[in-house]
Amino acid sequence: MAEGKRPADFDLEQFLPYLLNQAAEATSKSFHATYKATYGMTRTQWRVLANLGKFGSMTARDICLISHIEKTKVSRAVSGLEEDGLLSRATSPQDRRAEILSLTERGREVFADLGQRALAYDMALRAQIGPEMAAQLDGLLRRIIADGPAGGGED
Amino acid sequence: MAEGKRPADFDLEQFLPYLLNQAAEATSKSFHATYKATYGMTRTQWRVLANLGKFGSMTARDICLISHIEKTKVSRAVSGLEEDGLLSRATSPQDRRAEILSLTERGREVFADLGQRALAYDMALRAQIGPEMAAQLDGLLRRIIADGPAGGGED
DNA sequence: CAGTAATAGTTGCAATCGCAACCAAGTCAA
DNA sequence: TTGACTTGGTTGCGATTGCAACTATTACTG
């Protein structure tokens, strides 16, 4: 057989997980700076806030399921947000292990503020790559996320 | 004005940075398990190794520039890889601050092994979403990465 | 009902990260 | 040359992570 090229050399720059990661970091960075500077929030805190802002009230478990964040991470983010007075907990009457989380008035304000900014940021991002392309990208990403690890593995 | 919908509520699930991050994590996870289990490497170590595997020899600085990884992260990854006998350093004759990094024989072996696996993993991933779609995704991601933060900002 | 297994959430600890401060070497200008 | 500035790389340290162990509560199962 030909001696020219070996069985295709691996190139990090073509590796999908790497590209995704780079893109994720590139796009997260600037917005991360926003909520960190303005409200001293971590990424997980921002995500928990966003989920609560969207869904109203839910348990930590729900947040884990929806956003695929480790439960310890959620737990600590919740503590942080509570300390900052952005959310409150209430033991569920049905299940006294579970705590129903909801945003406080202030939490809703912060969510409204950051939500707007995020929206603007997102639109700018999408404008950059073109709206149709962005829509397509959306679909692809969702598929990747849904399919889980290659091969449809479980974990 | 209409009272129906407010100025569009923010939805995390539609937020591009979030989607990218989810996709990145979903796709990284399983491969991360591979190099961690097999060689006890961290992600940064794997990336440094991959860069050296591709480019032959380079300085830590080069790696930083190419892969946008923090220099402290690179520094520690390099130490780790050196300890494990996968790479060696040599002070640059031109600039005695700089160290020229190159893979050892063993390092090249490991790269060959992981490179193959990564290639296979990547192909499986691409097969899942369809080859043309994958190619398109590639382009979009590269654009996002290149453009940097929305608005073409610098940092 | 006792007894075991699952589940919601927290905590401890070791490893990792990010940022600032820090050396050591190189550059540039007077 | 000397002194101010830049640059390659490392180190210290507080904050964040991930994983395993743990508490409290609920759900099964005989």
Side-chain angles (χ1 to χ4, degrees):
Chain A
M1 38 200 62
E3 63 308 270
K5 34 176 40 179
R6 275 145 294 171
D9 265 358
F10 172 71
D11 181 358
L12 229 211
E13 306 281 332
Q14 314 257 133
F15 193 39
L16 211 41
Y18 176 76
L19 287 174
L20 284 166
N21 205 358
Q22 294 284 78
E25 264 173 38
T27 57
S28 295
K29 203 167 201 172
S30 130
F31 193 64
H32 175 262
T34 300
Y35 53 69
K36 179 168 181 185
T38 319
Y39 300 106
M41 278 198 276
T42 68
R43 176 143 69 195
T44 310
Q45 287 181 339
W46 150 242
R47 286 191 185 169
V48 168
L49 183 89
N51 273 295
L52 285 172
K54 179 181 178 188
F55 294 110
S57 296
M58 60 201 312
T59 67
R61 178 173 170 279
D62 295 332
I63 296 180
C64 290
L65 289 179
I66 290 178
S67 56
H68 306 124
I69 310 180
E70 291 275 326
K71 61 178 182 172
T72 60
K73 235 163 131 183
V74 171
S75 172
R76 293 195 242 247
V78 165
S79 301
L81 289 172
E82 190 187 28
E83 252 175 47
D84 296 346
L86 301 185
L87 71 71
S88 61
R89 324 183 191 212
T91 308
S92 160
Q94 285 85 39
D95 183 344
R96 283 187 326 201
R97 289 170 302 182
E99 294 190 317
I100 297 174
L101 310 169
S102 16
L103 295 183
T104 60
E105 183 51 34
R106 169 128 185 82
R108 271 183 305 257
E109 282 168 25
V110 171
F111 171 65
D113 175 31
L114 285 178
Q116 279 314 107
R117 299 207 215 182
L119 225 40
Y121 183 68
D122 196 59
M123 294 212 302
L125 216 49
R126 284 166 194 277
Q128 247 184 143
I129 60 177
E132 342 71 31
M133 284 291 122
Q136 189 145 31
L137 177 58
D138 246 65
L140 289 171
L141 294 177
R142 254 186 261 281
R143 250 176 88 186
I144 291 177
I145 296 168
D147 283 356
E154 314 62 27
D155 187 355
Chain B
M1 41 207 59
E3 64 309 89
K5 33 176 37 183
R6 276 146 296 169
D9 264 359
F10 172 71
D11 181 357
L12 228 211
E13 307 280 332
Q14 314 257 132
F15 192 40
L16 212 40
Y18 176 76
L19 287 174
L20 285 167
N21 205 359
Q22 294 285 78
E25 263 173 38
T27 58
S28 297
K29 202 167 202 172
S30 131
F31 193 65
H32 175 262
T34 300
Y35 53 70
K36 179 167 182 185
T38 319
Y39 299 107
M41 278 198 278
T42 67
R43 175 142 73 194
T44 309
Q45 287 181 340
W46 149 242
R47 286 191 184 168
V48 168
L49 183 90
N51 273 296
L52 286 172
K54 178 181 179 189
F55 294 111
S57 296
M58 60 201 313
T59 66
R61 179 174 169 278
D62 295 332
I63 297 180
C64 289
L65 289 180
I66 290 177
S67 56
H68 305 125
I69 310 181
E70 291 274 325
K71 61 180 182 172
T72 62
K73 235 163 133 182
V74 171
S75 173
R76 293 195 243 245
V78 166
S79 302
L81 289 172
E82 190 186 30
E83 251 175 48
D84 295 346
L86 302 184
L87 71 72
S88 61
R89 325 183 191 210
T91 309
S92 161
Q94 286 85 40
D95 184 342
R96 283 187 328 201
R97 287 169 304 180
E99 294 190 316
I100 298 175
L101 310 170
S102 17
L103 294 183
T104 61
E105 182 51 33
R106 168 129 185 80
R108 269 181 308 250
E109 282 168 25
V110 171
F111 172 64
D113 175 31
L114 285 178
Q116 278 316 108
R117 299 206 215 182
L119 226 39
Y121 182 68
D122 196 59
M123 294 210 303
L125 216 50
R126 284 166 194 277
Q128 248 184 143
I129 60 176
E132 343 70 31
M133 283 291 123
Q136 188 148 30
L137 178 58
D138 246 67
L140 288 172
L141 293 178
R142 254 186 261 282
R143 250 176 86 188
I144 291 177
I145 295 167
D147 285 355
E154 314 60 29
D155 188 356

